[in-house]
Amino acid sequence: MLSQNIPYTDLTLFDLLAALIVLVVGIVVAKILTGIFKNGLKKTELPDLVAEFLSRFVLALLYVAVILATVSTLGADISSVVVGLSAVIGLVLGFGLQDTLTNIAAGVWLATLRPFDKGEYVSVTGYSGSVSAVGFMATELLTPDNKIITIPNKVIWGSAIENATRMPTRRVDVNVGISYDTKLDQAVQIAMELMKENSMVLADPAPAVVTTELADSSVNLQLRAWANTSDYWGVKGDLTNGILNAYKEADIEIPFPQMDVHLDKE
């Protein structure tokens, strides 16, 4: 039964079964070898991002080898297959689809120069998230609300990248407005005490309160406190809530925008 030829081909059912076995086993072996390779990279000093990129590269090469082995099992000449693939690649490039190579090259540069590492929080091309992985074609960002954003590597490489977690410390800015009738020195002192009492606020650089604007309805102040990057959002929340409660307790008005309209009688 397995030795019978498939209609219109020189292949038998045994050939197809053997090719299927080679394909399945090859994929499993490729993943196992890639896992071993990745675990070996973890023992080196390579950054996680570079290790991830190299692992994906090795997996892609192994998949190509599996495909060639599968085709060879079906009795095809591998050399002709390679020539065929080269012709396809030439046609792809000839039709102006060089974006593929551009993305691959950009991915190599991103993994080599490391403007960001895996797990760092970045903003690029209007999107923000933690770097999940850098692949051949695209980079994946994981947003705080657990969405995956995939951005082509060439777009990232050609854009400004804002890395929010690369540095060990960050400055936390909290804006607040006070009434023009408020004593400025009192408002500044309360804000300074609030920051100094927060255990996550660093003493060096020292916290500060600056007047940023004399607006239409308020004098705008900005609390500037330095904190460890890992404590950024905690300090941000504490100071935002704390300055509101502190000013309420001190009867310092935080005005809201308002407009006076006067009607003239004719």
Side-chain angles (χ1 to χ4, degrees), residues 92-93 96-105 136-137 152 154:
V92 169
L93 296 178
L97 298 180
Q98 294 92 344
D99 287 351
T100 299
L101 293 180
T102 304
N103 281 319
I104 292 175
F136 287 119
M137 301 295 295
K154 70 168 188 175

Side-chain angles (χ1 to χ4, degrees), residues 3-264:
S3 61
Q4 294 179 351
N5 286 349
I6 299 175
Y8 308 108
T9 69
D10 294 331
L11 300 176
T12 64
L13 292 177
F14 178 80
D15 294 332
L16 288 180
L17 180 60
L20 181 61
I21 293 175
V22 171
L23 179 63
V24 173
V25 173
I27 291 176
V28 173
V29 172
K31 289 184 176 180
I32 293 175
L33 291 178
T34 303
I36 296 174
F37 177 75
K38 189 174 183 179
N39 290 332
L41 291 178
K42 289 181 179 179
K43 299 178 181 179
T44 67
E45 296 181 356
L46 286 175
D48 291 341
L49 190 68
V50 177
E52 183 72 22
F53 183 84
L54 292 176
S55 298
R56 292 191 176 202
F57 182 75
V58 170
L59 182 60
L61 291 180
L62 291 175
Y63 278 165
V64 171
V66 169
I67 292 175
L68 292 177
T70 302
V71 172
S72 177
T73 304
L74 293 174
D77 185 4
I78 294 181
S79 60
S80 62
V81 174
V82 173
V83 173
L85 288 176
S86 301
V88 171
I89 293 174
L91 287 175
V92 169
L93 296 178
F95 280 108
L97 298 180
Q98 294 92 344
D99 287 351
T100 299
L101 293 180
T102 304
N103 281 319
I104 292 175
V108 172
W109 281 112
L110 289 173
T112 303
L113 299 182
R114 294 170 51 216
F116 47 71
D117 278 330
K118 187 175 181 180
E120 290 185 334
Y121 192 89
V122 300
S123 296
V124 59
T125 67
Y127 298 99
S128 299
S130 299
V131 179
S132 176
V134 175
F136 287 119
M137 301 295 295
T139 295
E140 295 178 355
L141 301 182
L142 178 64
T143 64
D145 55 346
N146 209 33
K147 293 185 293 187
I148 291 291
I149 299 176
T150 303
I151 308 175
N153 287 334
K154 70 168 188 175
V155 174
I156 295 180
W157 185 247
S159 304
I161 302 172
E162 180 183 289
N163 193 325
T165 54
R166 172 62 60 88
M167 304 303 291
T169 59
R170 286 185 64 187
R171 195 182 76 184
V172 181
D173 297 337
V174 175
N175 298 311
V176 62
I178 60 175
S179 169
Y180 275 93
D181 296 330
T182 302
K183 292 181 179 179
L184 183 59
D185 292 342
Q186 180 189 10
V188 171
Q189 180 181 356
I190 292 175
M192 287 295 297
E193 291 176 353
L194 175 68
M195 290 187 288
K196 290 180 179 179
E197 291 173 357
N198 192 307
S199 61
M200 292 186 292
V201 173
L202 302 177
D204 185 22
V209 179
V210 297
T211 302
T212 58
E213 184 183 10
L214 301 179
D216 294 335
S217 304
S218 64
V219 177
N220 293 337
L221 305 179
Q222 185 177 76
L223 284 65
R224 297 178 176 177
W226 286 86
N228 292 321
T229 300
S230 58
D231 296 330
Y232 177 86
W233 289 111
V235 174
K236 182 84 169 180
D238 288 349
L239 295 185
T240 302
N241 295 329
I243 196 63
L244 174 62
N245 295 329
Y247 279 174
K248 282 185 176 180
E249 292 178 1
D251 291 327
I252 294 179
E253 180 185 359
I254 300 178
F256 54 87
Q258 54 187 321
M259 179 183 297
D260 294 331
V261 179
H262 302 278
L263 300 177
D264 295 331

